[in-house]
Structure formats: C-alpha cells, structure tokens
Amino acid sequence: DAVKNSRSQKLGNFANALLRALARNGEPPPPPDPVARLGVVESAPDWLVRDAVARFGAEEAARFLAALNAPAPLWLRANTLRATRDQAMRAVAAERPDARLTPSDAVPEAFRVDGAGDVAQLTAFATGLCTAQDVAAQRIARLVAPAAGERILDACAGVGGKSTHLAALAGDAAHIDAVDQNATKLALGADTARRLGLSSVHPHACDLLDPATWAGPLAQPYDLVILDAPCSGLGVLRRHPDAKWRLQPTDVPRLAALQAQLLDAVVAHLAPGGTLVYSVCTFTRAEGPAQIAALVARTGLTLAGEWRTWPP
C-alpha cells in the first residue's frame, strides 16, 4: 500500500509479487563469501565491509556494521546560561513523563532522551533551556574551555551547534565568528542562538579558501579556531544511511586534500599561543591521524593531543 500510494499501482503490484514470493519461499541465503555475506546481512557496500574487517576483525566488524543500522540516539544539551542539566531534565520530564532521560558521563550539560517524540515541540526547547546536539560534538567545546574575551573562529560552522556551545561556556562574553559557505545553515544557527539567548555568535557566509574572506571582520587573529571539516562522514552513517551507497573510497583522498587546504587557511590566522581544534566525523586514517601528522610537520604546530570516539 505504501508503494502504491507513494509511487504507482504498477509498482505496488510488483512489490506485492515480491512479498508473496518471499512469504512462499523465504529469503535466499546470503552469499558464502564472508565479505559479501556481511554486506548483504548488514546492508553495506563491500569496500566498507573490507575496511571494517581489516580494522576490527570479522566478529567485531559484524557488530560495528550492525550498529550503523541502529537508530541514532537523541542527545540534548542544557543551555547553561538558563538552566542546569538537572533543571533542563526536570523540565523535559514534566512534559514527557514517559520519556527516559539519561545524563551523560562525558559532558556535564548533556543528556540522552528516549521516547520523547519531537523535542522541538517542548516548551523547554522553545524557551531555550536546551537544544539538540550529539554528545561527541558537545565534547569538542568542552575540550577547549573557551573563555570570556577570546576571539574564536568556528570554521565550517554549519547550523551552529558548536558555536552556541562555545558561546554558552564562555558566558556569552567571547567573540565567536561562525563561518560557512551555506547561508541557509548559518540562518538556522542564528535562529538557535536567538532561542538560547546568545548575542556573541556572528555568522559569516563566505569561502575560507578565498583570500577576500580574511579581510574585514575576520582579519584579526584568533585565540581559538575550531575546524569541523567536510569529511567522508563514516562516523555518522546512522543519521545518513544513504551516504554509504553514495560514497566511494576514491572520495577520501579528495576530501583529505580539501581538509589540508582548509587547515592551512585557518592556521594562518591563529594568534601566537592560540589553539586549533581539527575535528571530523569519520574514522579514515587519511582524514584523521595522517592529516594531523602532516599538518604538524609542515607548520611546526605542537600537537597537544588526539581523541577519538566511536558511536555509542
């Protein structure tokens, strides 16, 4: 019925015929080849299966690929300018008494919400007591401990999750330039900042690789730069399951080259003694450890540390 209503009667007839055949004969057995078998069972392209097996071994690779098919958890972040985490959790629980709320052990303002429905409809959300952001993303602002009076660049800011978190942790007293090429995403980030009562986030729609970008309001050096670079996105396939069928292994070198260009662009505007955080939501070596090592080698920056998290 779903196929018929969304597409056509003809395609609906085909779906019915296929379902009748499956009901009559059962599913065909998966192929005997281990890689092909995992690809069929866990709905993954062969290149991703091979990478997982090489990285984890066959048994853990199967668990990893299965995890990528599981629904992603919903994490909220208490807006510490307006509420503590306990206060935000109580406000959500009052509106969704059947929901299950779990505080994070990793981030003081983060809590997971299960069974709450559309949290954007909550009064606690609308009044800026909390906002949605994955817990791994929340850890980035916590890693750098932004302070009042600092000049901060959130490069490739997107919808502003990190910008607003940085602003809240700095007591809305830092100067945060949120830069992205996508003006629509920046507008969404500005809406979030207004909802959370923040005034220290300044959006700029521009290209970081264009020298003209670094004139005007972006000309002064930054105490802190966060580059959440475009990447292969293999760490967030639960939220974008179609991406694994679009992405090809040959895309990784192209993305790594872009990341290197972006890193060189922002490093040039880092103040002496400043801090650069490079983050990607993927696990390829070329986009992570190798990218960082190459940056240190060509710039002389001091590596303070590396940190990786896997989807919980």
Side-chain angles (χ1 to χ4, degrees):
D1 286 343
V3 173
K4 180 180 67 177
N5 292 335
S6 65
R7 300 297 294 274
S8 68
Q9 179 66 54
K10 184 177 180 180
L11 200 57
N13 293 342
F14 172 78
N16 278 333
L18 178 62
L19 292 170
R20 283 194 296 269
L22 285 170
R24 183 173 59 251
N25 303 322
E27 291 189 35
D33 176 76
V35 169
R37 180 185 180 89
L38 262 181
V40 170
V41 172
E42 302 302 345
S43 184
D46 287 349
W47 68 266
L48 182 57
V49 176
R50 286 192 294 269
D51 180 272
V53 171
R55 190 182 298 274
F56 305 120
E59 186 176 339
E60 190 174 352
R63 293 196 296 269
F64 171 71
L65 293 168
L68 295 182
N69 294 324
L74 172 64
W75 289 91
L76 297 184
R77 188 187 83 229
N79 177 13
T80 50
L81 295 181
R82 290 185 173 175
T84 65
R85 178 169 66 184
D86 286 346
Q87 290 171 333
M89 290 177 66
R90 285 196 297 269
V92 172
E95 294 186 76
R96 298 287 191 271
D98 295 330
R100 185 169 70 257
L101 308 182
T102 309
S104 167
D105 294 329
V107 180
E109 50 271 18
F111 59 102
R112 177 172 170 167
V113 181
D114 295 283
D118 183 4
V119 295
Q121 301 302 315
L122 296 172
T123 301
F125 189 92
T127 57
L129 298 186
C130 58
T131 195
Q133 187 181 23
D134 276 345
V135 70
Q138 294 188 43
R139 291 191 71 167
I140 292 176
R142 275 286 171 184
L143 281 172
V144 296
E150 288 186 325
R151 278 181 55 83
I152 300 173
L153 173 65
D154 184 6
C156 304
V159 296
K162 296 179 184 66
S163 295
T164 55
H165 195 190
L166 291 163
L169 292 179
D172 203 27
H175 178 99
I176 301 170
D177 287 322
V179 176
D180 201 280
Q181 285 185 287
N182 191 318
T184 301
K185 288 184 178 181
L186 286 175
L188 292 172
D191 286 343
T192 299
R194 283 190 289 270
R195 178 171 57 82
L196 299 177
L198 301 168
S199 59
S200 58
V201 179
H202 308 279
H204 304 272
C206 52
D207 182 356
L208 291 167
L209 300 182
D210 182 353
T213 291
W214 300 103
L218 304 184
Q220 297 299 314
Y222 289 94
D223 303 295
L224 169 62
V225 175
I226 292 180
L227 174 62
D228 190 2
C231 70
S232 55
L234 296 176
V236 290
L237 288 179
R238 291 186 300 184
R239 297 201 181 278
H240 309 283
D242 57 312
K244 61 188 174 185
W245 298 109
R246 296 196 310 269
L247 185 71
Q248 298 297 321
T250 52
D251 292 330
V252 172
R254 174 181 59 80
L255 289 163
L258 173 60
Q259 293 155 8
Q261 289 179 294
L262 290 167
L263 281 166
D264 287 343
V266 299
V267 164
H269 299 275
L270 189 63
T275 299
L276 167 68
V277 175
Y278 167 72
S279 66
V280 285
C281 50
T282 192
F283 48 78
T284 68
R285 179 170 178 77
E287 299 173 273
Q291 186 74 266
I292 295 167
L295 174 70
V296 170
R298 69 178 180 269
T299 62
L301 290 175
T302 300
L303 177 61
E306 295 178 90
W307 173 73
R308 170 181 287 174
T309 181
W310 292 100

